[in-house]
Amino acid sequence: MRQWLKGLALFVAITCLVWVGVLWYWQATSRDMSPEDIALYLGLLPLVVFGLALLARWALRSAVASAVAKEAAAAQAPASGSPALPSAGQQERHAPFKLLASGLSCAAGHSAREVADALKEGAPRPAPDKALRDDEGLPVLCARIEPLDTAALQEAWDGVCAVAQADLQGAEAQPVAVDEAVQRALAALQAPLQQCLSQLAAWSERFAKPDADGPQAASAAVPAGLRVFTAWPTHWSPAERAVAQAWVKHCLKQDSADWLAPSQLRLMPSTQGGGVALWLEADRALRAAQREGLPEVVLLLSCQSDLSDARLGHLQREAALFTHTMPKAGVAAESAVALALADETWPELPDAAAAPVLLHRAAVIQRDKPIDAAGRVSAQVAEQVVQQAAAAAELPLAEVSALVSDADQHSPRGAELFSVLVSQLAQLDAAEDTLVAGTLWGRTGPTAPLMLVALAAHRAEMNQQPCLALSVDDSVARMALVLRPPAAAGAEPTKTAS
């Protein structure tokens, strides 16, 4: 009875629509209707349209039923026989990295542990700077690194600038012009880089060349290489980028000379596009080395600083500086980070207190418009990137125990993060299980996703449970990845194993 009433209602609706359309057309064209026209257009045409509607509904239901049957058959196929082996692409997609070493420096602390403790206490937050002023003469809200040792940078500055000028093939007698903010950023990078290299030195035997006179020389493993990738702020000039590359080369040779041969060190050209692009480039390099069977460690370096009059003036002209007139703009900050990654086959230290944290493949999606653009803020891309990161880790989102993000609380990024928490991670407590780092370390540009990885690795190691890192600092790019402590990863069999 109900189906008959639905069909009758559909027929009446179609008849009314056809009649209204036909009568309007006749009136608009002043058509002289004949009895044949009335019978054809007002009688037969509604029946034809009604029949076509029923036919289309039947075809749609048949297609849906066929698709459901195929899915059910595919789901039952593995149960009836032996499970299919995963393809090489699937294995590579789910294979994790190892975080061998990390170091960071920002206004909230000089290590992941210090930053995590600062986030729990909610301090130190960005504060009005004692020296820097905006266009109205008011103190600028800044996240300044205190203290910052620039002595080593000044001692090597002339030599670094000379190397940079040679790389630029410059013939000018004038030294390379570098903004004060660039100098502060490079000075901030020295400590994280030294910390990272000192941790890598524990694998000095893995980097050492085999003894040619020893009995195991013929079967000795190929010494590992260290490939270094860098990402500098997009507003740095070519000269400033060249100085940064020269400074990194100087620090690498000085701090790794005892355990790394120069032939095993490769400094790659700086990456264009920020921290997310740097991470993707490192991912490609590690996967390529793994496919070729080459032992290699990838070192990621980045730093930035907004603390100079020239840089602050540029930000204010672009309406990108947090002031009383621009309360949703970024907070001026400075930071530096170094991460050392290797594939999952990298050997563990026999006397180490804990094995390296495992990082699954990152998911990256671009927003259709910048987050700071006018209009409604959509969190759809952030939600999708979280779902894809969990799929890459083969981990249900309900099993994520913590979320670490570089969002803040004064811009649309905060609303984006809140939407992800409500829709995808409802099991997390917003106060206890979530770290919102952007509130303390400000807008950190290319270093944000890398520092986030170091912070999330610390959280996963402390909790001994999976942690999700979500980077929303960039105006367009969204990146997420799952980090697991080795004990948690070993306790659960991977789905790709046959």
Side-chain angles (χ1 to χ4, degrees):
M1 184 67 178
R2 181 177 299 178
Q3 294 294 332
W4 185 84
L5 292 176
K6 287 183 178 180
L8 179 61
L10 178 63
F11 176 73
V12 172
I14 291 176
T15 302
C16 293
L17 289 175
V18 171
W19 283 1
V20 170
V22 170
L23 294 174
W24 172 84
Y25 177 75
W26 284 347
Q27 183 178 9
T29 57
S30 300
R31 181 183 178 90
D32 187 14
M33 291 81 69
S34 64
E36 291 80 5
D37 291 336
I38 295 175
L40 178 64
Y41 292 104
L42 299 185
L44 183 60
L45 183 58
L47 294 174
V48 172
V49 175
F50 179 67
L52 292 176
L54 293 179
L55 184 62
R57 192 168 110 182
W58 173 81
L60 180 60
R61 286 185 175 181
S62 300
V64 172
S66 177
V68 171
K70 289 181 179 179
E71 290 181 2
Q76 293 175 358
S80 60
S82 59
L85 295 176
S87 65
Q90 289 176 332
Q91 290 180 336
E92 187 174 276
R93 179 172 181 260
H94 300 299
F97 297 142
K98 288 184 177 180
L99 180 62
L100 304 183
S102 64
L104 65 86
S105 182
C106 64
H110 300 283
S111 67
R113 181 185 298 274
E114 291 184 6
V115 174
D117 293 341
L119 287 170
K120 291 180 181 179
E121 298 175 0
R125 287 181 174 270
D129 199 78
K130 298 179 180 179
L132 299 173
R133 299 289 186 271
D134 61 15
D135 292 345
E136 299 181 7
L138 300 175
V140 176
L141 195 69
C142 293
R144 179 187 288 270
I145 296 179
E146 296 287 0
L148 185 60
D149 184 14
T150 61
L153 178 64
Q154 296 301 326
E155 292 176 2
W157 186 250
D158 291 339
V160 167
C161 289
V163 172
Q165 192 167 7
D167 292 340
L168 290 171
Q169 298 180 351
E172 301 87 355
Q174 297 292 332
V176 176
V178 178
D179 184 48
E180 178 187 356
V182 178
Q183 297 183 34
R184 289 188 60 85
L186 296 177
L189 180 60
Q190 185 177 18
L193 178 56
Q194 289 177 343
Q195 181 181 356
C196 210
L197 292 176
S198 65
Q199 296 175 44
L200 286 179
W203 282 278
S204 57
E205 295 183 358
R206 189 71 183 88
F207 289 96
K209 293 183 178 180
D211 186 2
D213 300 327
Q216 306 294 329
S219 60
V222 177
L226 181 64
R227 199 188 309 194
V228 184
F229 291 89
T230 58
W232 313 119
T234 55
H235 64 271
W236 282 14
S237 67
E240 291 169 338
R241 290 173 176 268
V243 168
Q245 292 290 102
W247 170 246
V248 167
K249 186 183 298 184
H250 168 78
C251 293
L252 289 170
K253 291 181 178 180
Q254 185 179 36
D255 298 329
S256 65
D258 296 338
W259 52 273
L260 186 67
S263 59
Q264 296 167 251
L265 177 64
R266 294 178 59 192
L267 177 59
M268 309 302 293
S270 61
T271 301
Q272 305 290 331
V276 175
L278 177 66
W279 186 269
L280 294 178
E281 189 167 350
D283 181 285
R284 288 190 290 268
L286 277 175
R287 295 305 174 190
Q290 187 176 23
R291 286 192 293 267
E292 297 172 6
L294 300 176
E296 191 169 65
V297 173
V298 167
L299 181 62
L300 307 182
L301 304 176
S302 184
C303 62
Q304 71 87 35
S305 175
D306 297 322
L307 305 192
S308 72
D309 292 330
R311 175 58 181 159
L312 291 178
H314 178 75
L315 287 174
Q316 194 158 10
R317 287 191 297 273
E318 291 188 343
L321 179 65
F322 181 92
T323 62
H324 70 283
T325 59
M326 293 296 299
K328 293 186 178 182
V331 174
E334 51 189 2
S335 56
V337 62
L339 299 177
L341 307 175
D343 63 57
E344 60 180 338
T345 62
W346 186 265
E348 297 178 4
L349 295 174
D351 56 346
V357 173
L358 300 179
L359 292 74
H360 289 276
R361 298 292 297 275
V364 176
I365 304 179
Q366 303 286 331
R367 291 176 54 88
D368 57 353
K369 68 175 183 178
I371 185 66
D372 299 313
R376 180 178 176 272
V377 176
S378 172
Q380 182 179 2
V381 172
E383 294 172 6
Q384 290 176 351
V385 81
V386 166
Q387 294 170 357
Q388 292 185 13
E394 297 183 299
L395 178 74
L397 283 173
E399 297 183 15
V400 173
S401 67
L403 173 66
V404 180
S405 178
D406 49 17
D408 50 40
Q409 294 176 339
H410 68 278
S411 76
R413 292 167 177 81
E416 194 175 18
L417 174 63
F418 179 75
S419 179
V420 171
L421 280 171
V422 172
S423 63
Q424 306 297 323
L425 301 166
Q427 77 276 11
L428 299 184
D429 184 280
E432 298 295 331
D433 302 327
T434 305
L435 296 180
V436 186
T439 58
L440 265 61
W441 68 36
R443 194 69 54 78
T444 51
T447 68
L450 307 182
M451 292 198 300
L452 199 63
V453 169
L455 185 59
H458 170 75
R459 184 64 180 258
E461 187 176 9
M462 291 296 101
N463 292 355
Q464 286 298 299
Q465 290 181 344
C467 178
L468 178 68
L470 173 61
S471 179
V472 296
D473 183 272
D474 191 88
S475 61
V476 176
R478 295 293 174 263
M479 185 180 91
L481 70 156
V482 173
L483 299 92
R484 270 187 170 130
E492 300 177 4
T494 58
K495 298 179 182 178
T496 58
S498 58

